[in-house]
Amino acid sequence: MRLRTIILGLAGVLLLNALVVLGVWLWLGQDSVSPATVVSAANSPTTAEAVAEPLPPLQSAAPAASPVVAPPEAGAVWAEFDSPRDGEAVSRRFRASGRCGSLPPGSRLMLVVDSGRSVFSPKLPPVIVDGGSWSGSANEYGAPTGGSFFLCVFLVSDEAVLQFTEWHAQGRATGKYPPFRGTLPGAVSLARIRLRVASP
């Protein structure tokens, strides 16, 4: 009688393990779990404990990355400066203008200050293009008086303009405008001149 009870108990445990494994297999889908996996799981003494409660997905501690903004196709697009001229001294806030070719759909021209170490600060709003001419405003408060910097014209995608607008809004709220380092997302450089900060 005692031996019969033990055998029936073991059979019940094996049946329970098989039902749990079968349930997990059906829950995960037949394509994602092979029969070999099910057989090996059924032979494991801890199967019921291991699969009883599925674990939640791991959460990354890093913040979600910004969406990648692809640069527009520059092709034959060009731009050049009329004012200011290369090497000229300008005030902290100044106007710039020049000429350009036609722009591809979904893109704009934008003035960008480069400190000279691929540290970019886009200037909003984007420049106004009227026919073959463009004009816009820029400022530079990072370089010391007499110091130099580069003023660039970039071809930027509409998605990049939205990203730079959000960046600018955060800067206005916090008083800090961390520059873009290395590259400017969604942008292609078309023209570049070196300027100096004039004495007040």
Side-chain angles (χ1 to χ4, degrees):
M1 185 72 175
R2 177 177 257 177
L3 182 60
R4 184 176 171 186
T5 305
I6 293 173
I7 291 173
L8 287 175
L10 287 175
V13 169
L14 289 175
L15 179 62
L16 182 61
N17 274 351
L19 289 175
V20 169
V21 170
L22 180 62
V24 170
W25 182 52
L26 292 173
W27 181 62
L28 293 176
Q30 295 180 4
D31 293 334
S32 61
V33 180
S34 66
T37 305
V38 174
V39 170
S40 65
N43 293 332
S44 171
T46 58
T47 300
E49 299 168 10
V51 299
E53 188 68 34
L55 295 174
L58 293 175
Q59 299 295 324
S60 173
S66 298
V68 176
V69 180
E73 292 294 329
V77 179
W78 60 273
E80 62 184 18
F81 285 92
D82 286 336
S83 174
R85 294 288 187 182
D86 190 52
E88 190 175 328
V90 294
S91 60
R92 295 284 182 186
R93 297 181 62 84
F94 58 95
R95 299 272 309 162
S97 61
R99 289 170 285 146
C100 64
S102 59
L103 306 181
S107 63
R108 310 277 299 273
L109 291 183
M110 180 174 279
L111 291 171
V112 176
V113 167
D114 177 0
S115 68
R117 300 180 303 277
S118 294
V119 178
F120 302 106
S121 295
K123 304 303 172 182
L124 289 168
V127 301
I128 297 170
V129 176
D130 184 12
S133 300
W134 63 264
S135 63
S137 299
N139 59 70
E140 173 52 26
Y141 292 100
T145 300
S148 64
F149 63 95
F150 292 97
L151 181 65
C152 311
V153 176
F154 273 78
L155 177 69
V156 299
S157 66
D158 287 341
E159 293 85 1
V161 172
L162 292 175
Q163 183 176 339
F164 301 148
T165 302
E166 292 175 7
W167 166 81
H168 191 261
Q170 289 177 353
R172 292 188 66 173
T174 62
K176 296 179 181 179
Y177 296 85
F180 293 84
R181 299 182 181 275
T183 60
L184 197 60
V188 177
S189 180
L190 299 179
R192 175 183 176 100
I193 57 174
R194 182 188 290 271
L195 300 174
R196 291 181 296 109
V197 177
S199 299

